[in-house]
Structure formats: structure tokens, C-alpha cells
Amino acid sequence: MPLPSERARNIAQVLIEALPYIQRFRGKTMVVKYGGNAMVEAALQQGFAQDLVLMKLVGINPVVVHGGGPQIGRLLQRLGKDSEFVQGMRVTDSETMDVVEMVLGGLVNKEIVNLINRQGGSAVGLSGKDGDLIRARKLMLRRDASELLAPEMIDLGHVGEVESIDVSVVNMLVQGDFIPVIAPIGVGEDGFSYNINADLVAGKVAEILGAEKLVLLTNAAGLLDADGALISELDVGRVAELIEQGTIHGGMLPKIRCAIEAVQSGVISAHILDGRVEHALLLDLFTDEGIGTLIRRR
């Protein structure tokens, strides 16, 4: 009988090494915020979909929440409508909200569903409006400035924050062996639709589902220290200090806060992963290779 090739032995070794991780996470829920380069580069898109399908096949329950800011911006530009941002958030009037719903709830959501299904998965797309999944309230930004006698409240239009989450429809899909794919659009008591930051929605969904892990895919290696080195693990007790030092700043600040809130609310851990790395999800779940920043309670 011929001996197995080196490649075959390597594959067998990889599977054996993954076994304890599969046993640990089997039956657990993982909420993944999908965005950045992983959403726009073909190889990364395919790898992301393959990761989800494999996770589902070994008994892990992935739930996806996606963004789509660049796609919204491109369509608005084609329509001749300028994009205005305040503190990194898009000012969203009624006309812009129509575009947001069309892009997030339609185009982007269905592209992701199709991507997963083409890899052998069974994905179902949802807007936060489906099954009363996301209840929203209008988000008002506060601006403090030395020239102001009192703080200024800025109305961004149809930009919201999460008021409540009802995961009944998500649980039904997970139990039916589907992969839910959620667009971060909610409905307010006023009946209007609101665009909500996808990181915040992912964190809240993970919290309500009692997820084992929250994963935020980004276009960065993770949280870097003052010398540019990766902080591979962070407990909540260090966050205030790192914010004060300026280590956590800019676009990483809301992600860290979202992750901290999730773990303080019962999610076992949160991981900020470099979505530019192929198969980042599998590397995170099934190996000890650090490719991001892991956040956990003390």
C-alpha cells in the first residue's frame, strides 16, 4: 500500500488540530460583522462565504450583520446627490434613506446571501424591519465646543441607534439550519426607517442571542499600541487607560466600545479581526494564530 503524500498528511494534521476547537464551539452562536475589504475583494468574499459554510457544517451557528457605506456612497454619487458626514456619520434625509434601504436591504444583502449559497450554504437575508427584528430611535449627536454657550444637538435625519432587538426570526432561521444575514435598518415608533451603524447592531444581536463570540471584521490588523505593535488580547479594565493615552482613537474607538459593551453584557469574547486576511474566521476559530485583538472580561 503506498504511503500518503506529504500534502495528505498535512491536511490530516490540520483537521486533527482543529478538532478540539470544533468540539468547543459546536452548538454555539457566532455573530459576525461583515465589512471592509472582505466585502469588496473577490478572493476575500469567497473565502468569507466558505468559512461560514464550514462553520455551519461542523455545528457552529454563524449570524451575519453587514455594512455597505461605500456602496451607498457610490449610488448616491451616480444619482448626483452629495454625501455629507458629521463625526463620521452620514447625514440621511428621506431621499438618502430610500437609497440606503435599496442598497443595504436589497443589493448588498442579496449579494451576500447569493455568495454564501453558491458555496453550498443556506443563507436568508433580513432587514431589521423583518419580524420586528430591530426597533430604532433617532440618534442625536452632541457637539461640545468652547465657542458654544451650551452643547449643540445635531439632527442627522434617518440615522438611528438600537432601542431593542427581537431575535425570534433569527432563532427560527438558525434552528432551521439557515445562516441569517442582517441589514442594519430599524424602525422607530414614528414608523420611519433608520440606518444604524452595523457594528452596534452586531454587538446588540450578539448580546441578545447570548453569543459565544462577536467578530468585527475590519481593514486593520487589530488594535495597535503606541509603537505600532498588535495588542493581541485586551481586558475591559485597560480600555479607559488606552483611550486616555490616545492608543484607541478614530474609527477603532466605536468598535472597541461596541466589543466592550457586548462582553460586559454576557458575550463570552469579542474579536476585532483583520478582514484582509483570507479565511480570517477559520484562523480565528480553529487555530491559536493571533490575527487580531481578542477582548474579554477580566
Side-chain angles (χ1 to χ4, degrees):
M1 181 180 295
L3 293 174
S5 67
E6 183 69 22
R7 178 175 179 273
R9 289 196 295 271
N10 288 340
I11 291 172
Q13 185 62 35
V14 167
L15 292 173
I16 291 299
E17 289 178 359
L19 181 59
Y21 298 99
I22 294 172
Q23 291 170 327
R24 174 185 169 190
F25 293 122
R26 183 172 177 81
K28 306 294 186 181
T29 298
M30 308 284 178
V31 176
V32 182
K33 187 271 179 160
Y34 181 45
N37 282 39
M39 272 186 84
V40 295
E41 294 185 16
L44 296 175
Q45 288 177 336
Q46 180 171 306
F48 172 77
Q50 290 170 336
D51 290 0
L52 292 175
V53 172
L54 180 57
M55 288 165 64
K56 192 68 177 178
L57 286 173
V58 299
I60 301 169
N61 297 316
V63 175
V64 179
V65 178
H66 65 83
Q71 294 91 328
I72 294 168
R74 285 196 295 269
L75 182 53
L76 286 171
Q77 187 175 34
R78 284 169 52 194
L79 295 173
K81 189 171 180 64
D82 293 332
S83 293
E84 180 185 353
F85 292 87
V86 176
Q87 296 181 26
M89 296 186 180
R90 188 188 304 275
V91 177
T92 307
D93 59 18
S94 294
E95 187 179 41
T96 301
M97 189 64 218
D98 289 342
V99 173
V100 168
E101 286 209 73
M102 181 166 56
V103 173
L104 291 184
L107 179 65
V108 173
N109 188 271
K110 301 316 171 191
E111 282 181 348
I112 298 169
V113 167
N114 184 49
L115 188 68
I116 296 168
N117 291 346
R118 284 174 57 196
Q119 297 300 323
S122 295
V124 174
L126 298 168
S127 160
K129 299 169 76 171
D130 295 316
D132 208 21
L133 173 58
I134 303 174
R135 282 282 180 170
R137 57 176 171 260
K138 179 190 280 285
L139 175 65
M140 299 291 289
L141 281 186
R142 173 176 169 148
R143 187 171 79 92
D144 296 290
S146 57
E147 68 272 15
L148 297 175
L149 296 176
E152 178 186 10
M153 301 308 293
I154 303 172
D155 187 347
L156 298 174
H158 291 262
V159 176
E161 57 186 342
V162 175
E163 181 172 17
S164 64
I165 300 276
D166 183 344
V167 293
S168 301
V169 66
V170 175
N171 283 327
M172 181 180 68
L173 291 171
V174 169
Q175 291 164 11
D177 284 334
F178 294 100
I179 299 173
V181 179
I182 302 169
I185 297 167
V187 180
E189 284 189 4
D190 52 14
F192 292 122
S193 299
Y194 289 93
N195 183 22
I196 309 175
N197 178 277
D199 292 326
L200 299 180
V201 171
K204 287 295 184 183
V205 168
E207 175 188 332
I208 302 300
L209 285 173
E212 178 77 12
K213 183 185 280 283
L214 167 67
V215 176
L216 304 174
L217 291 177
T218 70
N219 283 343
L223 178 62
L224 306 180
D225 65 18
D227 298 320
L230 177 68
I231 299 175
S232 58
E233 189 166 336
L234 177 67
D235 70 59
V236 297
R238 290 189 60 202
V239 172
E241 174 190 347
L242 293 175
I243 292 174
E244 186 177 340
Q245 293 172 353
T247 301
I248 302 175
H249 65 279
M252 189 58 70
L253 188 56
K255 292 184 186 299
I256 294 289
R257 283 177 170 159
C258 165
I260 292 297
E261 186 173 339
V263 298
Q264 288 180 326
S265 300
V267 177
I268 303 302
S269 65
H271 210 152
I272 297 176
L273 287 188
D274 191 344
R276 302 167 300 179
V277 176
E278 277 195 74
H279 300 294
L281 289 177
L282 295 189
L283 291 171
D284 174 45
L285 287 176
F286 300 142
T287 76
D288 284 328
E289 298 294 326
I291 58 167
T293 299
L294 176 67
I295 299 167
R296 64 171 84 240
R297 283 165 285 177
R298 288 183 186 271

